[in-house]
Amino acid sequence: MPSFCNFKTELKKVLFEGDSFYREVILNRPTKLNSLDYEVISLMFKNFRDFETDSTVKFVILKANGRAFSAGGDVVSIVSSMVTGHWSFGARFYKKQFNLDYLLATYKKPLLPLIDGIVMGGGAGLCMNGRFRIVTEKAVFAMPEASIGLFPDVGASHFLSRLPGHFGEFLGLTGGRLNGAEMLACGLATHFLFSKDLPLLENTLKTSDMATICQVVNKFTQKPNLKQDTIYQTQRLETINKCFSKDTIEEILLALENEAKNNPEIWITEAINSMKAASHTSLKITLRSIKEGRLQNLKQCLVREYTICCNVLRATVSYDFYEGSRALLFDKDKKPKWEPSKLELVSKEMVNRCFNGIDDDDWKCLQIPDRSVSSGDVLKPKL
């Protein structure tokens, strides 16, 4: 029978541990795949700010209990709060989350995320914009937002757009999954090591001089072999670049279908099927967002993504986010009825409205405080 002390620990959604010179932030909702609700985001934001200004803290480790690093935002709690209250409750969550993501991306002390499991959506926002992105063979990355009527946010238009070629468009539009080795190969991860070595890495870091942090991490780093059926191989990347470099979703799908006629590889069929099953509005928003992200810094991407999020939550042009959440997370019939019901019915004007500010006296663009540390190119760690 678990002790009362352990029971209290299990009730804490995020744990803060460590001694006088380092801190550990541990996501602690294993049964919910460490999804992020408003309480978790708020606690992390406050403590990370405190750690940054505490001169005794030299570095911070970010990790999680269970088989997921974080599967993303707690969509069930977000949607429930809006359905019973007001859409702006969801906007409040994203405002706090995006500010946390920017804080971690520009953190003034070494921040070491140990990604030893599922990392999706909002979970990716905690680590993919930062200097270190340490993964193991258990890591599974995906940005599946379009499947529930949302779009890849949390700075995804920045980090996806900076992947080689048009691999970012492929990931954002299909929700394709990558393992740890593939994350390292494409640049989403900076270091790969085996899960069994994480405890030793942590212990070594805790007893090392700060000047040797990079050397310690490098000491444990491995060079994993990509599986034979990996999506990240030259021939498949050429096909991805050929198809996902198109200007519209319609052109991308047509290119994929033409490829499928002559090249019956499973991944092509899966890409077509996943896109056809996703929200049509979300697909068009996603493509434009990633394309714009190539020309913007992280802060600009987050500000734009917040505006889009608010329009999605407010259902400015479509209720797809609520319908997708119903079909996949509440009723779980997995049969969303998207509106508009056809891709060609989603006009440029509808997409434009999602990128424009909301005409409401109570609504404001996202305000992100200026910070002296810039994230720079998130895919090139300054080691």
Side-chain angles (χ1 to χ4, degrees):
M1 182 175 180
S3 68
F4 180 67
C5 181
N6 289 336
F7 178 70
K8 288 199 299 181
T9 298
E10 290 172 0
L11 289 178
K12 294 181 179 179
K13 297 179 180 180
V14 56
L15 308 175
F16 301 97
E17 300 178 356
D19 65 13
S20 59
F21 77 98
Y22 78 92
R23 292 290 186 274
E24 286 187 331
V25 179
I26 308 170
L27 297 171
N28 190 43
R29 304 182 78 195
T31 60
K32 294 186 178 295
L33 300 180
N34 292 313
S35 60
L36 310 171
D37 63 12
Y38 191 81
E39 180 184 357
V40 170
I41 293 292
S42 298
L43 287 170
M44 292 178 72
F45 189 66
K46 178 186 182 302
N47 281 274
F48 269 111
R49 284 197 302 181
D50 290 345
F51 299 158
E52 188 179 58
T53 57
D54 186 342
S55 60
T56 64
V57 177
K58 304 305 180 184
F59 69 94
V60 183
I61 292 173
L62 173 59
K63 61 180 185 177
N65 288 327
R67 66 185 182 92
F69 176 81
S70 173
D74 189 342
V75 176
V76 171
S77 69
I78 296 169
V79 172
S80 297
S81 70
M82 293 188 294
V83 170
T84 58
H86 192 266
W87 71 267
S88 61
F89 293 175
R92 183 167 169 253
F93 169 84
Y94 283 105
K95 178 181 178 181
K96 179 76 75 172
Q97 181 181 38
F98 285 15
N99 270 283
L100 172 63
D101 293 337
Y102 192 70
L103 172 69
L104 301 187
T106 59
Y107 213 58
K108 297 176 182 179
K109 295 178 178 179
L111 171 60
L112 305 171
L114 307 181
I115 305 166
D116 190 36
I118 299 167
V119 56
M120 299 182 181
L126 297 176
C127 52
M128 290 301 146
N129 297 302
R131 175 180 175 184
F132 291 92
R133 302 180 297 281
I134 302 169
V135 302
T136 74
E137 77 280 6
K138 296 181 181 179
V140 179
F141 169 90
M143 299 298 287
E145 288 83 355
S147 66
I148 62 167
L150 200 54
F151 71 102
D153 52 0
V154 296
S157 63
H158 191 258
F159 65 75
L160 289 180
S161 67
R162 281 152 178 80
L163 297 181
H166 293 273
F167 196 58
E169 281 92 338
F170 165 75
L171 294 175
L173 293 171
T174 68
R177 296 191 173 197
L178 302 180
N179 60 35
E182 291 166 329
M183 291 175 69
L184 182 70
C186 75
L188 281 171
T190 59
H191 299 81
F192 177 98
L193 60 153
F194 294 115
S195 180
K196 65 180 179 62
D197 293 331
L198 285 177
L200 184 57
L201 169 65
E202 291 185 60
N203 289 334
T204 306
L205 286 169
K206 296 169 188 177
T207 58
S208 298
D209 182 87
M210 280 303 300
T212 65
I213 275 191
C214 294
Q215 289 91 326
V216 170
V217 175
N218 288 334
K219 177 182 177 181
F220 286 88
T221 298
Q222 304 290 330
K223 293 183 178 180
N225 294 320
L226 292 171
K227 294 181 179 179
Q228 188 173 2
D229 63 347
T230 178
I231 190 66
Y232 204 77
Q233 59 174 248
T234 301
Q235 185 175 353
R236 289 173 178 171
L237 290 176
E238 290 175 354
T239 301
I240 287 172
N241 287 336
K242 177 182 176 182
C243 297
F244 287 85
S245 61
K246 306 299 183 183
D247 292 330
T248 67
I249 297 298
E250 290 88 343
E251 290 174 315
I252 291 173
L253 277 171
L254 179 60
L256 285 169
E257 288 168 345
N258 287 335
E259 285 291 331
K261 293 176 183 177
N262 303 313
N263 184 6
E265 286 195 278
I266 294 177
W267 76 267
I268 298 178
T269 302
E270 289 178 344
I272 293 171
N273 291 340
S274 65
M275 288 180 66
K276 287 188 173 181
S279 159
H280 313 301
T281 305
S282 293
L283 289 176
K284 293 198 172 184
I285 288 174
T286 297
L287 182 60
R288 176 172 165 182
S289 182
I290 294 174
K291 286 182 178 295
E292 290 193 7
R294 275 197 178 84
L295 305 175
Q296 297 177 324
N297 60 34
L298 176 59
K299 185 173 182 178
Q300 291 170 323
C301 286
L302 288 170
V303 170
R304 172 177 42 76
E305 290 173 3
Y306 177 74
T307 297
I308 303 171
C309 274
C310 288
N311 277 295
V312 170
L313 301 180
R314 184 173 176 259
T316 298
V317 300
S318 171
Y319 283 92
D320 277 2
F321 177 50
Y322 297 92
E323 172 59 14
S325 299
R326 179 205 64 77
L328 275 73
L329 302 175
F330 288 88
D331 296 344
K332 298 182 180 180
D333 57 38
K334 298 183 180 180
K335 295 180 179 179
K337 296 179 180 179
W338 306 122
E339 286 294 338
S341 59
K342 296 181 179 180
L343 192 59
E344 58 268 25
L345 296 179
V346 183
S347 66
K348 286 186 178 180
E349 189 274 335
M350 293 170 65
V351 176
N352 288 342
R353 287 169 62 189
C354 292
F355 283 70
N356 293 330
I358 293 174
D359 185 15
D360 187 318
D361 291 340
D362 295 327
W363 184 86
K364 294 180 181 179
C365 290
L366 180 64
Q367 301 295 315
I368 298 179
D370 289 328
R371 289 172 56 81
S372 58
V373 175
S374 172
S375 63
D377 187 343
V378 298
L379 296 178
K380 295 180 180 179
K382 300 174 182 176
L383 304 181

